Amino acid sequence: MEEAIMLNSGEEGMYLPPGFRFYPTDEEVITYYLCEKVADPDFMADAIGEVDLNKCEPWDLPGKAKMGEKEWYFFCQKDRKYPTGFRTNRATASGYWKATGKDKEIHKGKGNLVGMKKTLVFYKGRAPNGEKTNWVMHEFRLEGSSITLKHHSQKSPQKKIGLFVRYSTKALDSGTAHIT
Amino acid sequence: MEEAIMLNSGEEGMYLPPGFRFYPTDEEVITYYLCEKVADPDFMADAIGEVDLNKCEPWDLPGKAKMGEKEWYFFCQKDRKYPTGFRTNRATASGYWKATGKDKEIHKGKGNLVGMKKTLVFYKGRAPNGEKTNWVMHEFRLEGSSITLKHHSQKSPQKKIGLFVRYSTKALDSGTAHIT
C-alpha cells in the first residue's frame, strides 16, 4: 500500500490514461483499503474521500469525492452507539438510508471471511413514509479474520473509521455486479 | 493521447494501485484508442495488445494481453476481403466466432455516431455444428464521423488496423453492460 499513499501525497490527483478507473473488487475494498484504514486512521488513498454519513445528502457526495464519474468512494466512521444495526443513525437532513436485501459475505480465497457488504437505498422524507430514490450505497465492513488481524492495532480508537462506502445512482449502477 | 503513449514506452508495465483497472466506456474505446490507432498504426497503448483474430484461440488470448484479469483488449486488423461481414474469416484452427444480436451504435454526445460494437460468441468445431463456448468478443469499429476524420490520414494502408476487440468469458462478463 505504500505506493498508493505516495501517489496521494502530492497536491494534484493521480494521472490516469483514458479508460482507466478505480473499480475495485469487494475483496480489494476490504483487504487493500478498509483493513489499512482501520489499522491506521491516517491512511489515505487516491480514490477515497472521507465523509460523515449523516451530514451529507447523496446528491452532495460527488462534489466531496476524490474521484469517480458514476460511483464515489468514501471512508466513514462506524457509529458506536448502535454497533449491530444502527438504522436510526442513517438519517440525513432530508431523508434516510434503508437496507435492502441480505448482507453479502466477502471472502479472500475460499472460505476465509474478511468482510460484509450491505446495500442501502436512499429515501426522501421520514420513515415509514419516505419516497424511494435512485441513490444506492454499498457499505463495506470488516468481518472474520480481517477484524482479529487489524482492529487491535488501531492507533486512535476515538476516531473509529470502520466503513468503506460506495455511492451510486441506480440508473448508472447496473454493472457493479460483475466484480462482486 | 500523448501521455498514454509515454506511459507505454518503458520496459515495464504501468503501475496501478490496487483496484484501478482499464475499464473503458464504448465511447472511450472509439475516440481515445481506435481512432488513434487507425490514424497511426504505430500508436501503442498500455492496456491494449495486438493480435491476429484468425490465428489465436480464445484461451490463448489472456497470455498475449498486456493487461487484464477478466477482460483482455487488443487491436486487430480488419479483414480486407470481406469488408461488409467477413463471417467466413472469423475461423480459428479449432472453431469460429459467430455474431450474436444486433450491432450497437456508439455515439459521442447526442446523435454523433462514431462507432459500432458487434458481439460474437466462440463455437468449437465447424459451422453449423459447432459447440457454443463461454468466450465472448466485443468488436469495435469506426463508423460515422470518426471514419471521415481519421481513415484518410492513415500512414500505411497495407497494415490496416481497424478493430478494437475485448475478449472475456461469459461467466465473468455479466458486468460489461454497465459501460455500454
Side-chain angles (χ1 to χ4, degrees), chain B residues 19-124:
Chain B
F20 285 85
R21 300 188 151 74
F22 186 58
Y23 201 71
T25 64
D26 290 354
E27 189 194 320
E28 286 170 338
V29 164
I30 296 292
T31 57
Y32 287 110
Y33 292 100
L34 189 52
C35 271
E36 297 293 329
K37 188 67 176 177
V38 165
D40 176 9
D42 297 328
F43 171 78
M44 290 173 74
D46 297 301
I48 309 170
E50 289 190 29
V51 79
D52 184 330
L53 264 181
N54 304 324
K55 288 187 184 148
C56 284
E57 307 303 333
W59 40 89
D60 295 331
L61 290 163
K64 296 176 186 294
K66 286 192 180 177
M67 193 180 279
E69 305 135 300
K70 299 176 179 179
E71 299 185 342
W72 302 274
Y73 301 84
F74 300 94
F75 291 122
C76 60
Q77 284 184 254
K78 201 169 179 175
D79 194 287
R80 309 196 68 186
K81 275 191 197 161
Y82 306 87
T84 51
F86 59 105
R87 271 170 55 198
T88 52
N89 282 338
R90 294 178 187 277
T92 69
S94 71
Y96 57 95
W97 291 96
K98 187 181 167 189
T100 177
K102 284 170 75 173
D103 290 9
K104 183 181 171 279
E105 292 187 350
I106 301 167
H107 294 95
K108 183 179 183 177
K110 272 198 179 175
N112 181 13
L113 181 69
V114 290
M116 297 294 288
K117 182 170 75 168
K118 186 190 284 295
T119 302
L120 304 102
V121 173
F122 190 76
Y123 289 72
K124 281 187 188 174

Side-chain angles (χ1 to χ4, degrees), chain B residues 128-144:
Chain B
N129 300 313
E131 181 196 347
K132 195 173 180 176
T133 72
N134 283 329
W135 286 94
V136 175
M137 187 202 311
H138 290 121
E139 185 189 273
F140 297 79
R141 63 180 191 271
L142 300 188
E143 199 73 58

